[in-house]
């Protein structure tokens, strides 16, 4: 069976700088995998290559067996590769209701419909409500996004991506900057994602990584250093060296 | 049905609901037809500027495309309608359709120039397109009449029955009806999923694309639509004044419509309409009292408005109305 998402020899060079170096990577269906690495390891570039914001210098990106290397970002979203952002990328003066409705409309191919008002299709408002309920946003649906508590904004960040019906969901530091009191809601929402959605978590927070991931990939200097189960990664001397600054001999 | 479904469905239905002030606004606009002769020529100008500003609002207020050359489409519509009247048929509605088509075609062709780049790039590109067209019109006097303008238009009666009179009542009725129909269409569009995707693009095109919105295609579509609206406004001016001059393509016209929209507030459909009313009334009052200084007062008004309004570009009259309402 095809993996949910694969890369083959993926590389990105900016002039003389190699930001992503020959990454061959595999995300199984239903995976709960984490991508970790120190600052500057190239995680952001890698995600941008996966989602189509950047075009790779060489290599391929394959989603469920289909080569998507040359597809535009929105075409990848329609095929089920969806991401969230480390820094909220929301629509400040729109409401969560509008944000989720937008994603649902686009997924159902209604985004070009100019004749009917938003929500005229019952299936849309029903699904908006389901997504809002899943992420605990029902009570703030009609408020401006930029007036919401930060934790709610982070939930909306994930809810909007979820409304695109992802096959593969890339979560970029979902709990970054969230106050302790609201953190639980986000962890619960992530834990409750449907099992058939393959999740790649890009994260700094090791507590979250080790509580969530069943497999971990470590990215260093643009290349994959090691991959494996959490226990193996925690015990790996090279990973410890990278994170703790220890020297590796030999 | 659960309580949640009610919330989402009701919330979405509320977005598109007609509000009482809107109905009052349109009743007043149509009631102005019954005024004694004297103000209809001015009202006709207001309606045309309102349509032009509505057009700019579609790209600037909704999709976030700033333009300093929107007169290009206005002028294309005006010349197309004028030439069509002279060469093909004097029927105004057919000419209006031709003006709309000319604006739309030019919009479609130039939309690809504004897809990329920053606001500054877009300002320069739109400005450049309008300057080029102005010079083209100037260089083709056998078609456009050049600096003398396109003369000898004899516009036929509206619907074959209503002649355009000296007092401008038919003209105002024609422009207002066109404005109303196109406003209804614009209202439908901005409340649709298509309109919502434009609003998302303006606020954050990166995220819009990450939610599956084909950003470029939507921008091409709305730019073409807005150009069609501007073409309609240009055609109305040509037909109701039976004359087209190079002024339709001048930079001043692009600047005026931007001013009108900013006075009214970009990003809501009534912004262009309210702005056009204020702009034209100010222009008319100031120009009759102090013709040589009217731009001075206009400038002063803008400075005050910008300082008082909280949200600079998108606030305008809407911001002021909201502040008054809170008091």
């Amino acid at each position: 069976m095809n993996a949910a998402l694969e890369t083959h020899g993926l590389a990105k060079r900016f002039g003389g700088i190699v930001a992503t170096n020959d990454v061959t990577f595999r995300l199984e269906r239903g995976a709960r995998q984490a991508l970790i690495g120190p600052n500057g390891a190239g995680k952001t570039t890698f995600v941008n290559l996966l989602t189509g914001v950047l075009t790779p210098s060489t290599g391929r990106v394959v989603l469920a067996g289909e080569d998507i290397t040359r597809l535009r970002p929105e075409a990848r979203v329609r095929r089920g590769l969806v991401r969230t952002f480390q820094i909220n990328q929301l629509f400040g003066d729109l409401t969560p209701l509008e944000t989720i409705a937008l994603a649902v409309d686009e997924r159902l191919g209604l985004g070009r419909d100019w004749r009917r008002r938003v929500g005229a299709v019952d299936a849309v408002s029903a699904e908006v409500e389901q997504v809002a309920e899943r992420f605990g946003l029902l009570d703030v649906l009609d408020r401006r996004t930029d007036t919401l508590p930060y934790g709610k904004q982070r939930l909306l960040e994930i809810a909007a991506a979820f409304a695109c019906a992802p096959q593969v969901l890339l979560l970029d530091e979902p709990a970054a900057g969230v106050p302790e009191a609201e953190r639980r809601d986000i962890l619960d929402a992530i834990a409750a994602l449907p099992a058939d959605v393959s999740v790649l978590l890009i994260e700094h927070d090791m507590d979250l990584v080790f509580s969530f991931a069943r497999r971990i990939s470590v990215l260093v200097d643009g290349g994959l250093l090691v991959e494996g189960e959490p226990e193996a990664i925690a015990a790996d001397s090279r990973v410890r060296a990278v994170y703790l600054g220890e020297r590796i001999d030999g | 049905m659960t309580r949640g479904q009610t919330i989402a469905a009701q919330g979405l239905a509320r977005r598109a609901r007609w509000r009482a002030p809107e109905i009052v606004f349109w009743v007043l606009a149509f009631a102005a037809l019954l005024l004694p002769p004297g103000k209809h020529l001015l009202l006709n100008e207001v309606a045309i500027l309102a349509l032009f500003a509505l057009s700019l609002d579609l790209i600037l207020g909704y999709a976030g495309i700033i333009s300093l050359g929107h007169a290009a489409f206005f002028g294309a519509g005006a010349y197309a309608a004028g030439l069509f009247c002279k060469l093909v048929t004097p029927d105004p509605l057919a000419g209006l359709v031709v003006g709309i088509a000319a604006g739309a075609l030019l919009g479609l062709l130039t939309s690809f120039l504004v897809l990329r780049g920053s606001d500054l790039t877009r300002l320069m590109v739109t400005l450049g397109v309008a300057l080029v067209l102005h010079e083209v019109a100037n260089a083709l006097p056998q078609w456009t009449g050049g600096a003398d303008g396109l003369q000898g238009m004899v516009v036929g009666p509206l619907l074959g029955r209503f002649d355009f009179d000296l007092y401008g009542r038919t003209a105002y009725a024609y422009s207002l009806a066109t404005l109303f129909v196109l406003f209804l269409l614009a209202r439908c569009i901005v409340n649709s999923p298509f309109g919502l995707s434009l609003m998302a693009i303006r606020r954050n095109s990166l995220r819009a694309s990450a939610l599956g919105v084909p950003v470029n295609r939507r921008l091409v579509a709305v730019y073409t639509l807005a150009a069609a609206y501007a073409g309609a406004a240009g055609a109305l001016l040509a037909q109701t004044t039976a004359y087209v001059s190079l002024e339709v393509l001048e930079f001043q016209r692009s600047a005026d419509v931007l001013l009108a929209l900013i006075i009214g507030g970009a990003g809501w459909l009534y912004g262009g309409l309210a702005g056009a009313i204020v702009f034209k009334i100010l222009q008319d009052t100031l120009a009759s009292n102090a013709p040589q200084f009217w731009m001075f007062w206009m400038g002063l008004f803008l400075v005050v408005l910008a300082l008082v309004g909280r949200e600079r570009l998108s606030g305008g009259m809407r911001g002021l109305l909201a502040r008054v309402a809170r008091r």
Side-chain angles (χ1 to χ4, degrees), chain B residues 52 56 59-60 65-73 114 118-132 134 223 248-259 261-262:
Chain B
F52 192 28
L56 184 62
I59 58 165
L60 175 58
I65 303 172
I66 180 108
S67 169
L68 258 185
H70 212 48
F73 311 117
V114 299
S118 61
D119 285 346
L120 189 60
T121 319
R122 285 169 167 173
L123 278 182
M124 292 303 109
V125 166
T126 51
L127 179 61
V129 168
L131 290 176
V132 166
H134 185 266
Y223 201 73
V248 294
L249 285 167
E250 262 172 14
F251 171 71
Q252 187 69 46
R253 188 172 296 278
S254 299
D256 283 353
V257 72
L258 187 58
L259 286 187
L261 180 60
I262 288 172

Side-chain angles (χ1 to χ4, degrees), chain B residues 95-119:
Chain B
L96 179 61
V97 170
V98 170
I100 290 173
L105 182 64
L106 185 64
L108 180 64
L109 292 176
T110 55
S111 64
F112 300 94
L113 303 173
V114 299
L115 287 181
R116 287 174 193 286
S118 61
D119 285 346

Side-chain angles (χ1 to χ4, degrees), chain A residues 58-70:
Chain A
T58 54
R60 294 188 301 131
V61 182
V62 179
L63 180 71
E66 184 192 2
D67 190 324
I68 59 166
T69 315
R70 299 288 150 197

